[in-house]
Amino acid sequence: MKSLEGKIAVITGGNSGIGKATAKLFAQEGAQVIITGRRPDVVDAAAKEIGNGAIGVCGDVAILEFHQRFAEDVNKWFGGLDIYVANAGVINLEASKNVSEAEYDNHFAVNTRGVFFGVQAIAPLIRDGGNIIVTSSLAATKFLPHHTVYAGSKAALAAFARNWVIEFKERRIRVNILSPGPVETEILGKLGIGEADRPGFESHMANLIPAGRMGRPEELAEAALFLASKGAFVNGVELIVDGGMSLA
Ligand code: NAP
């Protein structure tokens, strides 16, 4: 039997990168997947690619009403869910002295508020014994140049998760953090690094990683699958998947 047969899984930011790879693997493992993202064409195409009846829903995680409406829809369609992966995120690298108020607010609106209010809206629908996976980042615990605001917006997630483990314990809902190191996804194109500088950036990153290369979205998906299925006694941990970069 497939490891997620009969499960309903929601993945925010499931139309791209780590979220899409996770959605595909969960669908292969038998889950009914619902993905969210902002770009309608990309959400639709991703839902088709994911297969197994995957549903795509458009909305902005920074907007509270989106989470409320989305939770109502999930309730109407399936009467609940088993796995919530709070994965949508943004990054823009900047030295602290250059960070604008708007950039600061955007990081916290998407990466921090978006996760908090997403879980607040969906948690009542998570079935007993279900689980939540929150995508943070290696940057939350390790210095990386120009990551300060992004790191701060992700660091709050570990505190949220620790509290949720206790808040949801009567319902046996597990909450874990997945923290990737550098992974080859679309997000690299959103770092504010010009196309010409990309190869240099990527080889610089690879040199910093003991594994000798950046991660692949599918490798993060495998880690998410472990947390969602086999890791039934894993609760309240931060799983860093970074090829050893945290030690470098
Ligand atoms: P990605 O390919 O750029 O995916 C980001 C996803 O988030 C997209 O699906 C995007 O969809 C969605 N998103 C962004 N802003 C949103 C908003 N306001 N509302 C709704 N959805 C939004 O990047 P990724 O690398 O897979 O990143 C996934 C997660 O991993 C993020 O939380 C990121 O911080 C984290 N992470 C990534 C790396 C890495 O090196 N790749 C390292 C550490 C942590 P739309 O654009 O359609 O909205």
Side-chain angles (χ1 to χ4, degrees), residues 52-224:
N52 201 34
I55 296 173
V57 177
C58 285
D60 187 334
V61 296
I63 297 172
L64 267 58
E65 293 74 37
F66 165 68
H67 295 296
Q68 286 146 9
R69 183 170 44 81
F70 178 71
E72 281 166 21
D73 284 344
V74 170
N75 194 23
K76 194 168 58 197
W77 296 332
F78 300 108
L81 73 160
D82 303 283
I83 304 160
Y84 184 71
V85 185
N87 164 80
V90 289
I91 184 168
N92 189 26
L93 297 185
E94 203 64 85
S96 291
K97 65 181 168 55
N98 297 328
V99 173
S100 66
E101 187 180 4
E103 265 309 320
Y104 180 98
D105 287 348
N106 188 44
H107 277 87
F108 278 80
V110 177
N111 297 347
T112 321
R113 241 169 59 121
V115 171
F116 181 85
F117 287 105
V119 170
Q120 184 192 62
I122 211 84
L125 300 179
I126 300 179
R127 298 188 177 114
D128 291 4
N131 70 91
I132 297 170
I133 298 169
V134 178
T135 310
S136 179
S137 169
L138 174 62
T141 50
K142 179 183 172 65
F143 169 78
L144 298 171
H146 296 175
H147 278 65
T148 307
V149 168
Y150 174 75
S153 71
K154 291 289 194 179
L157 304 180
F160 292 165
R162 283 194 296 272
N163 283 272
W164 286 330
V165 166
I166 307 303
E167 284 192 46
F168 304 146
K169 80 172 188 162
E170 306 306 333
R171 294 160 56 206
R172 304 285 177 255
I173 294 171
R174 297 181 295 115
V175 186
N176 291 295
I177 296 268
L178 181 60
S179 280
V183 179
E184 292 165 6
T185 70
E186 276 185 27
I187 215 166
L188 298 180
K190 304 168 188 168
L191 293 176
I193 297 167
E195 270 307 304
D197 297 326
R198 269 287 285 281
F201 173 79
E202 289 181 22
S203 70
H204 172 68
M205 287 311 237
N207 279 332
L208 294 175
I209 302 171
R213 62 172 175 80
M214 293 175 58
R216 301 182 187 107
E218 295 74 21
E219 293 170 320
L220 273 297
E222 290 288 356

